[in-house]
Amino acid sequence: MRQFGNWLYNTFWANWMRRGATLLGLAAAGVLLWVFLPPIGEPDSCARGVEKHGGECIGVNGTGYDFGTPEIAAVARAIAKENEEFVGDKPHVTVAMMLPLQPDIAAERAQLRSEIQGAYLAQYRANREENTPLLRLVLANPGDAYGQQARVVDQLGDMAADKRDNLRAVTGFNLSLDATGRAITRLTNDLHIPVLASRVSADDFANPEKSTGKDPFPGLARIIPTNRQQADALASFHRGLKDEDTVLVKDTRPHDIYNDSLAKAFGRDEKGPPGPKDQPFRSPSITDPGETGNDFTLIAQNICQSSARYVYFAGRPVHLRLFALKLADVQCSGKKYTIVSGSGSATLERYLSDDDWAKLRGGGKEPAITVQYAAPGHPQAWNKELSGKDTAKARPAHFTEPQEEMDKLRALIEKRTAGDIGPVRLEDSRTMLVHDGVRTVARAVVLSNARTKGTVPPLNRVSDMWQRLEAVNRVRGTSGWICLTNAGNAYDKPVAVVQLNPRIKKLEFVGIGWPLGRPQPQDCRVPSGAG
């Protein structure tokens, strides 16, 4: 041992030259370890602002990172180009698009692309059509089912306080879950960041119109009709249905606020003789069918023996698809069914194979199963509503203005003016609605700077503008007029009733439903006590 110590001393420390060489060698080794090895106990970096936690890349990025989801790579690059080349160091506000960005299922990756495309196209338009400050768009990944939202909310809070970022609104929110609610609660209550919910439809995520105290989500606005409003619009569209004509099939899985809210909204009004009892089932998760197929077969057999012709379905698209197929399988003496669901079904067609379409068609002249749902919008809605109507009275502004917006959006996509963002499909309404949501944020930012154009408004000034978005300041959306109540909710927003046509294997527009049973008032003036 003593000999080894002498060797170390003589080799590395015997004179000043050897000491210097030893110190330089140690310093070089330290640099190499620092560069090539991650710090012990710290997470790996996925990209700027994004770290790996629990196998997911969690965080906020606007420099083109696609979060390992190839479907969004092109539009993520387009966002980065807009942020860097058009916005740059000019006066700007940041808008964060918060939603799970690493889905496992192909259909969900496609719908994710649609949503981000809508946000980008709105950013592109706002930066060229509105007054400054410009919009910088970033993507925020809270993890699967918003499971790691707390980390991202922390980041967004820092960005709101940072004068280089100037985060002034968070939008997105495509799943009505408990974790989503926790994120919105912290953003609005603790951090006072304005939130524009474009996709969550659960009634639980809305401020009450007749509040007697503190709003649960101060600074929240939403542009999609709630599940209750969607159900009212469908009821108005399907006038005359009696309780005996309908049955409710509902998912009772805990913590899924969308399912709970939709089941309550579909509660029947008991007109006429009582119909069959509700048919509950319990799924294991949003995207896992589990053993629900066995339940659906038994439920379908029971429905077959009832008088019901319309089936209200409170559940997610994966389970809706399976239920429709099981109902089609049951031999039921030629009975035809219409399954009615909410806006969460907007991408159901992407889950259907050729064999699925064939089963829904059945063997008769008419499809065995028609799946119909309330969509936030449809690209053909305004064309069809206005078709053949030449008089001013027959062409009201609540149809013509959304049509003009739809034409502008379609031209932007078809001419590829905004660059390569991947294939765009408007039929599922996601691109349209998220586009309208970011346009709503842009409008609020512009109004908040009515006197001092170009400056960055404070957070509360942006959320204060939600109440001003009506009448002359309404947002002319592709999905319809957006006019907000004092609680921040969309007033009598139209619902596009759409259905899957098994004959042509496409989604088709059926008609417009209004939550209040009548169109919005002239110029979208919100009356007192609206809600």
Side-chain angles (χ1 to χ4, degrees):
M1 190 70 179
R2 182 177 182 134
Q3 290 179 343
F4 180 68
N6 289 336
W7 176 82
L8 285 175
Y9 177 81
N10 292 329
T11 303
F12 297 107
W13 210 252
N15 56 51
W16 67 268
M17 291 183 64
R18 293 190 179 187
R19 291 175 188 172
T22 298
L23 292 173
L24 286 173
L26 290 172
V31 169
L32 289 172
L33 287 172
W34 181 80
V35 170
F36 292 105
L37 292 179
I40 296 174
E42 293 189 16
D44 294 339
S45 174
C46 299
R48 186 188 303 175
V50 184
E51 295 178 341
K52 184 165 285 188
H53 295 278
E56 296 182 284
C57 289
I58 305 300
V60 183
N61 181 273
T63 62
Y65 180 55
D66 64 11
F67 290 82
T69 304
E71 285 83 351
I72 69 171
V75 68
R77 287 194 298 269
I79 290 170
K81 182 178 180 181
E82 180 76 2
N83 289 343
E84 293 166 10
E85 298 181 9
F86 196 88
V87 178
D89 295 328
K90 302 182 189 77
H92 69 270
V93 299
T94 297
V95 177
M97 178 81 171
M98 184 174 177
L99 67 174
L101 296 170
Q102 296 176 295
D104 295 327
I105 298 175
E108 292 189 352
R109 293 195 296 271
Q111 71 187 37
L112 173 66
R113 178 177 59 209
S114 292
E115 292 171 342
I116 297 174
Q117 286 170 334
Y120 165 67
L121 292 169
Q123 177 200 21
Y124 185 92
R125 289 190 63 194
N127 282 345
R128 287 154 183 82
E129 297 176 13
E130 304 282 4
N131 294 312
T132 55
L134 300 173
L135 257 60
R136 175 173 170 260
L137 185 64
V138 295
L139 304 179
N141 183 27
D144 182 44
Y146 291 81
Q148 301 195 57
Q149 52 81 24
R151 298 180 188 275
V152 178
V153 171
D154 287 342
Q155 261 183 284
L156 296 174
D158 292 340
M159 291 174 66
D162 191 320
K163 292 185 178 179
R164 293 169 300 177
D165 287 317
N166 294 320
L167 179 77
R168 287 300 176 265
V170 182
T171 187
F173 302 105
N174 58 348
L175 294 172
S176 299
L177 303 171
D178 282 353
T180 316
R182 289 194 293 273
I184 295 175
T185 297
R186 255 194 84 204
L187 286 167
T188 55
N189 282 272
D190 300 339
L191 300 174
H192 309 294
I193 298 174
V195 171
L196 189 289
S198 54
R199 291 287 318 173
V200 287
S201 58
D203 295 70
D204 304 60
F205 297 152
N207 288 320
E209 294 297 339
K210 298 176 181 178
S211 177
T212 56
K214 186 176 181 293
D215 287 337
F217 309 109
L220 170 68
R222 46 179 303 134
I223 65 169
I224 189 172
T226 65
N227 285 339
R228 177 71 262 172
Q229 290 171 326
Q230 291 179 29
D232 288 343
L234 288 166
S236 174
F237 188 79
H238 293 135
R239 295 183 188 278
L241 276 183
K242 298 178 180 178
D243 190 38
E244 62 182 327
D245 298 327
T246 67
V247 63
L248 173 63
V249 177
K250 59 182 181 180
D251 191 346
T252 60
R253 175 169 43 82
H255 311 303
D256 193 320
I257 298 173
Y258 170 78
N259 291 340
D260 294 343
S261 176
L262 193 59
K264 291 176 183 176
F266 279 157
R268 291 163 289 174
D269 57 12
E270 299 183 1
K271 290 181 181 178
K277 70 177 185 179
D278 296 350
Q279 300 290 322
F281 69 94
R282 182 166 175 165
S283 67
S285 75
I286 292 175
T287 57
D288 184 1
E291 299 298 321
T292 55
N294 295 329
D295 277 346
F296 289 155
T297 296
L298 299 176
I299 290 172
Q301 290 170 348
N302 289 340
I303 292 175
C304 178
Q305 299 301 314
S306 75
S307 60
R309 297 176 295 111
Y310 282 77
V311 182
Y312 291 117
F313 188 88
R316 297 287 181 175
V318 166
H319 310 111
L320 174 55
R321 168 193 168 270
L322 187 55
F323 172 73
L325 296 176
K326 293 296 183 181
L327 188 59
D329 277 343
V330 173
Q331 300 300 314
C332 207
S333 303
K335 285 182 71 175
K336 311 294 183 184
Y337 292 99
T338 298
I339 303 174
V340 181
S341 196
S343 58
S345 306
T347 49
L348 178 61
E349 62 171 322
R350 288 178 170 166
Y351 290 85
L352 299 177
S353 66
D354 288 341
D355 288 342
D356 293 343
W357 285 110
K359 286 183 179 180
L360 297 179
R361 280 195 297 273
K365 292 183 179 180
E366 297 296 325
I369 304 295
T370 299
V371 180
Q372 196 174 90
Y373 58 85
H378 190 277
Q380 298 300 325
W382 318 116
N383 270 336
K384 293 194 175 182
E385 289 293 335
L386 292 167
S387 179
K389 298 177 180 179
D390 296 324
T391 66
K393 186 175 181 180
R395 296 177 64 83
H398 60 253
F399 285 157
T400 58
E401 288 185 356
Q403 177 63 67
E404 291 167 3
E405 282 296 304
M406 191 69 246
D407 290 343
K408 290 178 183 178
L409 179 61
R410 197 187 296 276
L412 190 63
I413 294 168
E414 292 175 353
K415 294 178 181 178
R416 299 171 68 90
T417 309
D420 177 19
I421 59 173
V424 182
R425 292 185 59 190
L426 295 171
E427 286 75 13
D428 68 2
S429 76
R430 291 179 183 270
T431 299
M432 293 171 57
L433 196 70
V434 176
H435 165 275
D436 292 353
V438 174
R439 292 281 284 175
T440 302
V441 172
R443 185 66 178 151
V445 170
V446 168
L447 291 179
S448 68
N449 282 335
R451 294 184 179 178
T452 53
K453 296 177 181 178
T455 60
V456 175
L459 287 167
N460 67 312
R461 183 66 179 159
V462 176
S463 54
D464 286 347
M465 290 303 102
W466 299 147
Q467 299 176 10
R468 306 291 172 254
L469 299 181
E470 60 153 339
V472 68
N473 291 314
R474 63 185 178 273
V475 177
R476 295 156 174 82
T478 62
S479 60
W481 278 350
I482 297 166
C483 29
L484 301 182
T485 68
N486 285 341
N489 302 315
Y491 177 69
D492 200 22
K493 180 88 183 304
V495 167
V497 182
V498 297
Q499 67 184 20
L500 299 177
N501 186 334
R503 296 294 179 203
I504 58 175
K505 296 193 292 186
K506 285 186 178 180
L507 184 69
E508 60 185 7
F509 172 75
V510 181
I512 290 290
W514 300 94
L516 295 180
R518 61 183 183 278
Q520 293 156 310
Q522 184 180 6
D523 296 334
C524 212
R525 294 189 296 268
V526 179
S528 174

